[in-house]
Amino acid sequence: MPVRKIIHIDMDAFFASVEQRDNPALCGKPIAVGHAGPRGVVATASYEARRYGVHSAMAAERAKKLCPELIFIPARMQVYKHISRTIRSIFRQYTELVEPLSIDEAFLDVSHLPCATQAAQEIKALIWQRTCLTASAGVSVNKMLAKIASDYKKPDGLFVITPKNVERFVAQLPVEKFFGIGKVTAEKMHRLGIYTGADLRQKSEAELVYHFGKAGRAYFGYARGIDDRPVEPNRKHLSAGAETTFAADTDELSVLLAELAQMARQAWQRAEKINFRGKTVTLKLKFADFKQITRSQTFDRLIPSENEFFSAGKSLLERTCLHGKKVRLIGLTLSNPPQPSAGNPRQQLFDF
Ligand code: TTP
Ligand code: MG
C-alpha cells in the first residue's frame, strides 16, 4: 500500500471555548458547559477548570467540589453545530475524504496533496479566521497516529509523525495513549508488564489475541505503527458542482451552453482540487418563475475529463424541454464517487 497522508483535526475544549469566545467575561475562568443541578453532568470544561481535575462526563456536583468557583454554562447545541458545519466546509476545500468522528473532530485523507503539514497549518489558520477558535492538528501516515499526534501538542498544536519517525515514536508511547486502548485495557497491559509501544512489540500476535480477544490483533499492528483503516466519508453527500444566475433570464440555447461550459470548468476544477471523481452528472435549471428541475445521468465508469463532463451536461440540456420558459439559473454537478479503498493509487509524493 502506498504511504498515505492523514490529518486529524480536533477543536480545543470545544463547547467551553465557544462560550468563552462569546462572553469575554468568562475568558481565563474555570467554566463547565452543562447543568449544575444534582443530576447535571459536565459536557466539557475550559482548560482553566481542567487544572482542578474537572473533565467531560463528570457529575456536576463532583466538579463543583473539585473547583468551587466553577461557572456552569448551559450548552447551546445549535451554535456548536453551526461551527461544526463551518469547519467541515473548510476540510472539504482540501479533500473529499473527510470522516467526521464527532461534532468537533475529523480525519482527512490528503494523500493527493504535495505537503500534508502545510495543509494542516492552513486549515488551522482558516478555522481561526472564520470562527475565532483554535484547533489542534495531527499529521501522519494513518488514522491511529494522526489522532495521537493531534493530542500531543494540545491546545492550538500541530504535531507531525513522519514515516521515518513512526517506529521511534510508537516505541516510547505509553500504551494508554494508543487509539482504542482505554483505562481498563491499559491497566490490564500494565499487569502484563506492557507499559510502552516497545513493550507491546515484544508480544506475539497470538499472545495479544489470547489476552485481549480480537482487539489483540489491532494492538499487534498498533505496536508497529500499522493501521490500514481507510478514511471513510459519508459518501452520499459528496459532490463537486457550480451554478450561476444569469444577469437576464434567457431561453437561447447558445447562451445557456456557453454558461454551462463555464460551470463545467469551475466544477471540474473544484473536483480536481479535492481529488474527487464521480459517475453521475446532474444539470440544474431554475426558471424565471423560480421553479427548479434537475436532470441526471449516471455512467458505468468515472467521468474521465472536463470535456466529457461538459458533454454529458450538454446532452442533458439538449434533451430538456424548456416549454418556452426562460432560465434564471444553471448549474452542473459531479457526484457518485467510487467506493473507498485503503490506499490512494493517485498518490505519488512522500513529502510530509
Ligand atoms: P472532545 O473533543 O472530546 O473534547 P473538547 O473539545 O472539549 O476538549 P479537547 O481540547 O480535549 O479536545 O469533545 C468535543 C465536545 O463534545 C466537547 O466540547 C463537549 C462534547 N462532549 C460531551 O458533550 N460529552 C462528552 O463526554 C465528551 C467527551 C464531549
Ligand atoms: Mg476537541
Side-chain angles (χ1 to χ4, degrees):
M1 189 167 74
V3 174
R4 292 180 294 160
K5 297 173 192 171
I6 310 294
I7 300 177
H8 179 257
I9 304 271
D10 184 357
M11 302 295 287
D12 301 320
F14 184 42
F15 295 2
S17 303
V18 175
E19 297 311 324
Q20 289 181 321
R21 177 195 73 172
D22 293 348
N23 181 358
L26 300 175
C27 288
K29 301 221 170 102
I31 71 163
V33 175
H35 284 291
R39 296 165 59 84
V41 177
V42 174
T44 196
S46 66
Y47 283 98
E48 295 83 359
R50 290 182 194 196
R51 266 175 232 132
Y52 293 81
V54 178
H55 59 73
S56 293
M58 178 180 270
E61 299 214 310
R62 170 151 172 69
K64 197 89 192 165
K65 279 203 189 94
L66 288 172
C67 175
E69 64 268 45
L70 189 64
I71 304 165
F72 277 86
I73 310 286
R76 293 183 297 154
M77 282 316 294
Q78 289 314 316
V79 179
Y80 313 143
K81 281 187 189 158
H82 181 76
I83 297 167
S84 185
R85 283 193 291 274
T86 303
I87 62 171
R88 282 182 201 172
S89 75
I90 294 171
F91 303 155
R92 293 209 178 88
Q93 293 178 305
Y94 288 82
T95 175
E96 48 116 356
L97 291 175
V98 176
E99 179 182 339
L101 279 190
S102 74
I103 191 165
D104 82 326
E105 60 183 302
F107 286 115
L108 287 66
D109 185 328
V110 294
S111 301
H112 61 294
L113 295 181
C115 181
T117 304
Q118 191 189 332
Q121 267 159 355
E122 288 175 14
I123 289 168
K124 273 167 57 69
L126 283 169
I127 291 176
W128 173 253
Q129 269 172 31
R130 298 216 196 131
T131 69
C132 292
L133 295 167
T134 62
S136 294
V139 181
S140 195
V141 293
N142 59 42
K143 287 201 214 181
M144 172 194 62
L145 292 169
K147 186 156 164 81
I148 293 168
S150 75
D151 211 37
Y152 218 65
K153 289 277 164 76
K154 239 177 192 306
D156 201 13
L158 171 64
F159 190 69
V160 184
I161 307 169
T162 59
K164 108 175 164 340
N165 290 334
V166 167
E167 207 163 302
R168 201 171 17 162
F169 182 84
V170 170
Q172 57 77 42
L173 201 68
V175 286
E176 47 272 43
K177 294 274 182 189
F178 281 87
F179 190 27
I181 299 187
K183 213 171 145 207
V184 176
T185 308
E187 275 166 14
K188 191 167 169 188
M189 287 190 176
H190 293 168
R191 284 198 299 277
L192 293 165
I194 308 169
Y195 293 89
T196 63
D199 300 336
L200 194 59
R201 211 180 160 136
Q202 301 299 315
K203 306 289 173 194
S204 70
E205 188 168 9
E207 218 173 330
L208 292 174
V209 170
Y210 173 78
H211 288 294
F212 302 100
K214 256 198 338 214
R217 207 162 297 150
Y219 301 157
F220 182 79
Y222 291 176
R224 286 151 186 80
I226 296 168
D227 174 14
D228 287 339
R229 291 168 303 163
V231 171
E232 290 183 281
N234 192 345
R235 307 192 68 81
K236 66 178 191 285
H237 298 310
L238 290 177
S239 64
E243 60 181 47
T244 185
T245 304
F246 290 101
D249 300 348
T250 180
D251 56 2
E252 289 263 352
L253 191 60
S254 62
V255 178
L256 291 169
L257 281 174
E259 205 56 50
L260 189 67
Q262 286 301 317
M263 293 307 100
R265 162 140 307 170
Q266 277 181 27
W268 192 262
Q269 280 173 354
R270 175 168 150 67
E272 296 235 285
K273 192 167 167 217
I274 61 172
N275 196 30
F276 181 77
R277 291 285 178 276
K279 293 186 201 172
T280 301
V281 178
T282 302
L283 171 75
K284 173 173 161 185
L285 295 173
K286 197 186 266 183
F287 296 104
D289 59 5
F290 281 84
K291 289 223 170 73
Q292 180 180 308
I293 60 162
T294 57
R295 296 286 180 264
S296 295
Q297 187 173 2
T298 295
F299 296 81
D300 52 15
R301 61 188 178 111
L302 298 174
I303 309 288
S305 64
E306 182 193 324
N307 241 339
E308 292 201 29
F309 178 48
F310 170 65
S311 298
K314 178 169 180 261
S315 93
L316 285 168
L317 179 64
E318 286 166 348
R319 279 183 275 151
T320 304
C321 186
L322 300 180
H323 296 294
K325 286 203 281 187
K326 291 197 168 179
V327 176
R328 165 186 172 80
L329 171 150
I330 190 165
L332 199 63
T333 298
L334 180 66
S335 62
N336 194 9
Q339 287 312 301
S341 63
N344 185 336
R346 276 159 56 91
Q347 107 100 28
Q348 291 154 352
L349 295 154
F350 296 83
D351 182 11
F352 268 71

